Amino acid sequence: MQALAGAQGEAYRLVLVASDRPDAAGLAWARAQGLATFALSPKGIGKAAYEDALDEALRAAGAEWIALAGYMRLLSDAFVSRWRGRIINIHPSLLPRYKGLDTHARAIAAGDAAGGCSVHVVTEELDGGEVLGRAEVPIRADDTPESLATRVLVEEHRLYPAVLKEFVRR
């Protein structure tokens, strides 16, 4: 999210930073930068009510697109449908390989020569939308999931803002 905020300009502007975790460090950072925030936990209100409130907040802020960053909650088909073709996400693997979790460990265990990250359009299928951009990171013989993740994160911060700029222009 910080990389996206740092790259905003003519192509896009962050109008709302939202989280399902009111104590998320990114929210405090966003507030300190003067960015509008939305924080609501779905606990006790349910997924549908949470997503309705999120949708309302996004629309009230004037959002046209959604760029997920560190958002680890699956969006419902209904929410994705409301924003069809306007939600993107960054995923720490070279999609379509290793959808879901534990991507770095899975790439290392498979003996892959490279790991990396992908930016994709969010659809109802987990990590299954059109891949808009990818960045490869060589897997070293001594890599652990943590060491690979650290190097992939550098590429995520480079790739995501560049792909978002192109995505909103198309």
Side-chain angles (χ1 to χ4, degrees):
M1 185 259 309
Q2 292 180 16
L4 296 177
Q8 63 184 329
E10 286 183 33
Y12 70 86
R13 182 175 61 87
L14 297 186
V15 297
L16 186 68
V17 175
S19 178
D20 62 330
R21 292 187 2 228
D23 62 343
L27 289 173
W29 181 89
R31 286 186 203 104
Q33 305 307 306
L35 298 168
T37 62
F38 169 86
L40 178 67
S41 172
K43 292 182 176 146
I45 65 168
K47 185 174 193 163
Y50 165 77
E51 287 184 346
D52 286 345
L54 175 60
D55 183 71
E56 184 178 319
L58 288 163
R59 293 179 191 281
E64 297 178 49
W65 301 275
I66 299 172
L68 301 175
Y71 193 79
M72 297 300 291
R73 181 171 296 281
L74 293 176
L75 295 169
S76 71
D77 291 355
F79 186 89
V80 171
S81 179
R82 283 183 251 169
W83 289 88
R84 180 160 322 284
R86 297 182 293 148
I87 308 173
I88 63 173
N89 189 27
I90 184 120
H91 182 73
S93 79
L94 299 173
L95 291 173
R97 299 192 82 174
Y98 311 120
K99 296 177 180 183
L101 301 174
D102 303 318
T103 59
H104 304 304
R106 291 161 59 197
I108 292 167
D112 292 353
C117 56
S118 305
V119 178
H120 66 94
V121 176
V122 173
T123 65
E124 291 83 356
E125 179 188 349
L126 176 66
D127 300 328
E130 174 190 1
V131 174
L132 303 171
R134 295 170 23 145
E136 287 192 14
V137 174
I139 296 177
R140 300 175 183 156
D142 63 343
D143 260 331
T144 64
E146 295 76 21
S147 65
L148 180 56
T150 298
R151 292 196 328 281
V152 168
L153 186 61
V154 171
E155 290 302 310
E156 288 181 17
H157 290 169
R158 181 193 61 75
L159 179 68
Y160 205 9
V163 171
L164 179 57
K165 286 178 185 178
E166 291 304 313
F167 179 70
V168 301
R169 287 181 177 145
R170 63 182 209 177

